[in-house]
Structures are given as C-alpha cells and as structure tokens.
C-alpha cells in the first residue's frame, strides 16, 4: 500500500484512450482532493477509441465530442502513450511498478455470437468488423466485404445495426462528405447493394435503436424505408404494457415505425426493409458462401418481467449474399486481470477490480469493460466519474499500489525501451493536422491514415 505522502502526485495509468479513458482522466485531473498525473495508453497510435473507430462517419456532430477530450489532453498532468499494447509491449506487473493506480477503460472489443448454423460462412461478418473497416481502424483495414451483392441481411435492430444499414444505403455524395476510410468510400461507390433487411427479433416497442437514429432511416436520400404494416402493429402484450407504462420515447418510436409502414415507395434506388418479430435460424450457404437466411416468425411472451421472442411455426427465407451480425459487443479479457466471462466484463465491484471475493487494491475499470456495452458516449462520463470517486477515496485512505518507481521519467523510459514507435500527444496532433490537410484537398473533413506504419512514417516525415 502507498502512504499518503508518497502520493504526490498520484500516478495513474489509464488503459484505453476512448471516451471512458478521457472522462476518467478529466475527473482525476480536475479533482481538488488529489494532485493526479495520468498516462493514457492506447494500442493504436491515435486516440478517441470508438469515437474515431466506431461512431458512424456520417455522424460528425457526435464525433465533435473529441474537442472536450483535447481540452483534457492540454492539462499539464496528462500524457499519451499511443501505439503501446498492454499484454504485448508492457505488462500489468510493469504498471504496478510505476503507478499508484491503474484504470482499465478498454471498451468491449469483440462481437456477440448468434449461435446458429452458417454463422461462419464466407459473406457472414460481424457488424463490429464492418464498422471498424469503414472507419479505417488499422487492424481491420485489410478485411474484404463482397459489396457486389444486391441483398444484405443485418441481424439486430440496435444503433450499430442502424449505422451499418444506413452506411450501406447512403449515396456516394453523402459519404464523400464524411471522414469514412478512403478505400471504403471507393468500394461503397461501386456497391451493388439494393436491398438491406434489418431483422428485429421482437416488436417495434422493443426496438433497441434510439429515436433520432430511427428518424434518419426515414430520410435517406436514395433509399426507401419498407415496413410491413402487420409487423408495425403492436401485439396485445406490448399494447397493454405501454398502456400501463406510458413511455413517451417508446410511443414516439412506435408511431414513427407505423408511419414508415404507411409510406408509399418513392421509387428510390435502394430499399431498407425494417423487419420485426423475426429471428434468423440458419445462414445457408451455396458453394461455401452465404446464399440466404432462414428466419422464423416470433410471438412475444412475458417471462420474468421481460418481453421475450418465442418462435411460431411460420418461417420465411430471405435471399442474400451478405450478412452482418449486429447483436451487441462483448468485452475481451486483459491479460492478468480477472474477467467475468458471463457478463463479458472485467470482474469488478462498482469499478473496483475484484479477484473472487477480494478487491484488487489499486486496480479499477470504467466504461463498457466495467458495465457492459450499453448507453451512449455520454453515459461513460458518469460511469468514469463514479469509478474515479472510488479511486480518490481509496487513495486518501492510502489504499493504492506501492510502485517502486513512480517518477514520470521512469514510466516513459520503460515504455520507450519496449517499443520504438510510441506516439505522444504532439505526434497525434501532427497526424491530425496531416489528415485534415489531406481532407481539405479532397473537400472532406479529413482523410484518415489507416495503417500504423504509415502513421509513424507520416509523423516522422511531416507529409
Ligand atoms: P444493442 O443496442 O444492445 O442492440 C443489440 C440488438 O441485437 C438488439 O436489437 C437485440 O435484440 C438484438 N439481438 C441480440 N441477440 C440477438 C439474437 N440472438 N438474435 C437476434 N437479435 C438479437 O447493441 P448495439 O447496437 O451493438 O449498440 C451498443 C451500444 O452502443 C448501445 O447502447 C447503442 O445505443 C450504442 N450506440 C449508439 C449509437 C448512437 O448513439 N448513434 C450508435 C451506435 C451504438 P433484443 O432487444 O431483443 O435483445
């Protein structure tokens, strides 16, 4: 345990430079109870996590939250160590030697599985891969998606499914105004996609997407939205539930979906089919590639206070050449940190990392790896503040790690001895300027670098 006097400053390693990492850094640096100094690590050279690699490129306003993160990065107690991977370049034990506290803000990096036959056929992908690909994430830039297919199924009706469907339906001109990866812009411009089927296993009242996202689906320049009137109607259980629990947002969502069902086709080039009460039962291949999806129609039943889908004997087949599974993210274990496999999060008690029944002193979690992949970006602010409040309380009680070398230069020396291409905040600022300049040439907000080595080379050469 560290003594109070040795905590000047309180040295904190934050693992993951996404929203939760930045909100944790902000809360620590703004605290008047401790004098904190934070090192934010990321395995990518670039910061911002899912704001850069997850938020849809046509949602520029949401991305502008990075200005707040940049303000945090200007604090003298903030350092960024990009291009450094925990578990590869440095270990948790290394961090214990250099910091009083460690907070894991690594997000939820993998997709949940459907668990149906055919899930791994060629042409069946997780939405997480496609999203990372079109956003230019270096680890996904090499992936290939057969966008020559006319018909695509997107399983799930959450906001990620909406993003995927919308990006597939956008016109080239719409996409060309965004920071979508260059190669994705080119390939989507050549796309043969005409029909996109989003599959919701429950009804309109249970759709996971939020209202502004649903509204956008009805306003696509070159895609008609198609909703079956029968599927837009509320089943008796949902009607009764809404009558007992009048929820303005759900009522609005259902109203919007029903108005889509009333819309006549405007004869646009593409169609976005928003389906409800259907579950995929098998992805069927032809010659090893996706050819169609078998679905079963569901009825809703109430179980344990939740409306659940129950298969009926009605089935249907949707011909398609591409499937995106968008049924939620899942956390991935961090080496040497206890993991709760059932919930897909780091084992924790309100943000304090636990090992069985015991708290692991000095180790914390915030964001999706603490509570699971739910909520919008801002949800991570309250989540990180809650964890930081516990970190500060523990620090004031002297319940921290007892690092042998808490000096600023020791941590930096360690990191630079392990990898030669560490990205500092000023390196990122240079890369950012280069991306924005490349964008200006192309009339776009930025043209991203999508390869780690190219990022490093660009910063070194200034071009
Ligand atoms: P999500 O909101 O949890 O949605 C998952 C969807 O998959 C739900 O429709 C769910 O249906 C469905 N599903 C789950 N298991 C299924 C199965 N076995 N078969 C068929 N369908 C299944 O997850 P997400 O879309 O990945 O989004 C993650 C978080 O990021 C959410 O909080 C979301 O709001 C947020 N996000 C926000 C934005 C934005 O603000 N614009 C954009 C992207 C993501 P059930 O409801 O029936 O389980």
């Amino acid at each position: 345990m560290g003594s109070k006097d040795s905590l000047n400053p309180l040295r904190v390693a934050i693992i993951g430079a996404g929203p939760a990492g930045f909100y944790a850094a902000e809360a620590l640096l703004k605290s008047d109870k401790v004098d904190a100094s934070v090192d934010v690590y990321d395995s990518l050279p670039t910061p911002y996590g899912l704001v850069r690699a997850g938020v849809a490129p046509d949602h520029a306003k949401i991305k502008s939250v990075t200005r707040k993160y940049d303000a945090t990065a200007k604090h003298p107690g903030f350092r960024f160590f990009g291009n450094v991977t925990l578990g590869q370049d440095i270990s948790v034990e290394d961090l214990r030697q250099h910091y009083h506290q460690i907070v894991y803000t690594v997000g939820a990096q993998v997709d949940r599985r459907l668990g149906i036959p055919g899930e791994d056929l060629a042409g069946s992908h997780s939405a997480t891969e496609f999203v990372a690909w079109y956003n230019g994430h270096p680890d996904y830039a090499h992936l290939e998606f057969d966008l020559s297919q006319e018909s695509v199924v997107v399983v799930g009706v959450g906001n990620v499914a909406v993003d995927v469907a919308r990006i597939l339906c956008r016109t080239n001109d719409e996409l060309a105004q965004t920071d979508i990866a260059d190669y994705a812009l080119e390939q989507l411009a050549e796309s043969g996609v005409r029909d996109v089927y989003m599959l919701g296993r429950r009804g309109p009242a249970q759709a996971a997407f939020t209202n502004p996202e649903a509204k956008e689906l009805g306003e696509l320049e070159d895609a008609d939205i198609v909703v079956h009137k029968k599927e837009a109607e509320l089943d008796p259980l949902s009607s009764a539930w809404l009558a007992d629990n009048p929820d303005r947002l759900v009522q609005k969502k259902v109203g919007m979906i029903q108005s889509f069902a009333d819309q006549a086709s405007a004869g646009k080039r593409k169609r976005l089919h928003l389906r409800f009460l259907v579950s995929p039962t098998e992805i069927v291949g032809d010659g090893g590639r996706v050819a169609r999806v078998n679905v079963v129609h569901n009825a809703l039943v109430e179980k344990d206070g939740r409306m659940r889908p129950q298969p009926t004997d009605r089935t249907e087949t949707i011909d398609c050449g591409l499937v995106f599974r968008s049924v939620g993210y899942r956390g991935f274990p961090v080496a040497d940190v206890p993991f709760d496999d059932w919930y897909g999060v780091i084992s924790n008690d309100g943000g304090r990392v636990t090992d069985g029944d015991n708290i692991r002193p000095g180790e914390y979690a915030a964001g999706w790896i603490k509570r699971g992949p739910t909520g919008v970006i801002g949800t991570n602010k309250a989540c990180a503040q809650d964890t930081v409040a516990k970190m500060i309380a523990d620090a004031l009680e002297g319940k921290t790690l007892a690092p042998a070398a808490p000096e600023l230069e020791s941590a930096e020396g360690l990191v630079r001895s392990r990898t030669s291409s560490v990205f500092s905040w000023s390196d990122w600022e240079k890369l950012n300027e280069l991306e924005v300049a490349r964008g200006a040439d192309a009339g776009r907000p930025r043209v991203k670098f999508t390869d780690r080595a190219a990022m490093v080379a660009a910063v070194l050469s200034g071009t």
Side-chain angles (χ1 to χ4, degrees):
M1 301 267 165
S3 82
K4 251 186 187 178
D5 296 340
S6 68
L7 305 179
N8 189 18
L10 175 71
R11 297 277 297 123
V12 182
I14 299 178
I15 312 302
F22 272 97
Y23 291 129
E26 182 189 3
L28 281 160
L29 294 171
K30 278 189 174 166
S31 168
D32 53 11
K33 296 196 177 99
V34 291
D35 176 17
S37 136
V38 305
D39 290 343
V40 180
Y41 289 83
D42 203 287
S43 57
L44 284 180
T46 52
Y48 312 139
L50 275 189
V51 177
R52 180 174 163 105
V55 171
D58 57 342
H59 279 173
K61 209 166 147 205
I62 298 181
K63 284 177 187 260
S64 65
V65 69
T66 56
R67 283 196 219 118
K68 295 234 163 64
Y69 307 156
D70 293 348
T72 299
K74 290 215 168 0
H75 193 287
F78 178 100
R79 294 194 301 187
F80 177 59
F81 292 138
N83 216 12
V84 179
T85 303
L86 179 63
Q88 187 179 306
D89 302 313
I90 52 167
S91 66
V92 170
E93 194 44 44
D94 291 329
L95 296 175
R96 288 202 187 106
Q97 296 305 317
H98 294 275
Y99 297 93
H100 299 106
Q101 294 181 327
I102 307 165
V103 53
Y104 304 102
T105 53
V106 294
Q109 304 180 13
V110 295
D111 58 297
R112 287 184 52 221
R113 305 275 299 169
L114 276 173
I116 60 170
E119 201 164 357
D120 295 316
L121 281 169
S124 164
H125 308 273
S126 73
T128 52
E129 289 173 336
F130 188 55
V131 168
W133 174 79
Y134 65 58
N135 273 317
H137 188 302
D139 296 347
Y140 297 81
H142 65 283
L143 295 184
E144 290 180 7
F145 301 93
D146 181 4
L147 296 169
S148 70
Q149 298 296 330
E150 278 191 25
S151 174
V152 182
V153 163
V154 181
V155 183
V157 287
N159 279 334
V160 171
V162 170
D163 284 347
V164 166
R166 200 180 61 251
I167 292 299
L168 288 169
C169 288
R170 286 273 189 220
T171 64
N172 194 28
D173 282 351
E174 287 174 308
L175 292 176
Q177 295 160 27
T178 74
D179 70 356
I180 193 166
D182 247 7
Y183 54 75
L185 183 61
E186 270 170 38
Q187 291 178 42
L188 285 161
E190 303 291 314
S191 145
V193 173
R194 294 295 175 266
D195 288 280
V196 177
Y197 296 85
M198 286 178 68
L199 307 186
R201 63 178 171 178
R202 299 190 289 158
Q206 294 84 28
F209 52 63
T210 39
N211 289 349
E213 280 63 31
K215 184 164 175 274
E216 271 186 293
L217 292 182
E219 298 170 341
L220 291 167
E221 197 172 297
D222 204 14
D224 279 319
I225 182 146
V226 183
V227 177
H228 296 195
K229 258 192 177 356
K230 269 235 137 318
E231 289 178 4
E233 275 170 22
L234 284 192
D235 63 292
L237 265 184
S238 301
S239 292
W241 178 83
L242 253 190
D244 289 347
N245 310 277
D247 179 326
R248 205 177 47 79
L249 290 178
V250 175
Q251 284 163 341
K252 194 169 168 199
K253 186 183 292 181
V254 171
M256 200 164 9
I257 291 165
Q258 291 176 342
S259 75
F260 291 155
D262 291 334
Q263 266 176 35
S265 160
K268 295 181 180 177
R269 212 162 54 102
K270 297 181 187 176
R271 284 155 302 278
L272 173 53
H273 307 258
L274 184 52
R275 302 290 310 271
F276 293 102
L277 290 166
V278 283
S279 286
T281 51
E282 181 175 5
I283 303 173
V284 184
D286 188 359
R289 278 203 57 84
V290 168
R292 59 196 161 275
V293 174
N294 290 340
V295 302
V296 63
H297 288 245
N298 297 324
L300 288 186
V301 293
E302 198 172 345
K303 205 173 153 208
D304 306 329
R306 203 178 130 84
M307 234 75 85
R308 295 178 191 275
Q310 190 174 70
T312 65
D313 51 13
R314 217 177 123 209
T315 58
E316 183 185 333
T317 294
I318 302 173
D319 290 333
C320 64
L322 205 50
V323 172
F324 291 111
R325 309 176 310 264
S326 184
V327 296
Y329 289 84
R330 214 185 124 72
F332 190 74
V334 175
D336 300 327
V337 181
F339 190 72
D340 183 329
D341 206 41
W342 176 259
Y343 289 107
V345 297
I346 286 179
S347 306
N348 76 94
D349 179 2
R352 292 183 173 103
V353 174
T354 53
D355 203 346
D357 290 338
N358 303 319
I359 300 277
R360 285 235 298 215
E363 290 183 53
Y364 302 85
W368 279 5
I369 199 65
K370 165 185 167 187
R371 64 173 206 282
T374 58
V376 292
I377 292 168
T379 316
N380 295 297
K381 185 167 184 170
C383 178
Q385 286 172 339
D386 169 62
T387 294
V388 167
K390 288 164 181 149
M391 292 169 71
I392 292 173
D394 291 350
L396 293 176
E397 286 182 24
K399 293 180 190 161
T400 64
L401 298 164
E407 306 76 26
L408 287 166
E409 42 306 342
S410 301
E412 174 146 19
L414 166 87
V415 173
R416 294 200 181 277
S417 73
R418 296 288 173 80
T419 164
S420 58
S421 46
V422 182
F423 247 53
S424 65
W425 190 258
S426 71
D427 291 331
W428 155 244
E429 285 178 322
K430 284 181 210 145
L431 191 76
N432 181 43
E433 276 173 28
L434 290 172
E435 287 190 343
V436 172
R438 292 185 344 159
D441 293 342
R444 302 179 54 202
R446 73 174 59 239
V447 171
K448 285 180 179 175
F449 286 87
T450 61
D451 175 82
R452 277 190 172 81
M455 291 177 186
V456 175
V459 167
L460 284 177
S461 69
T463 53

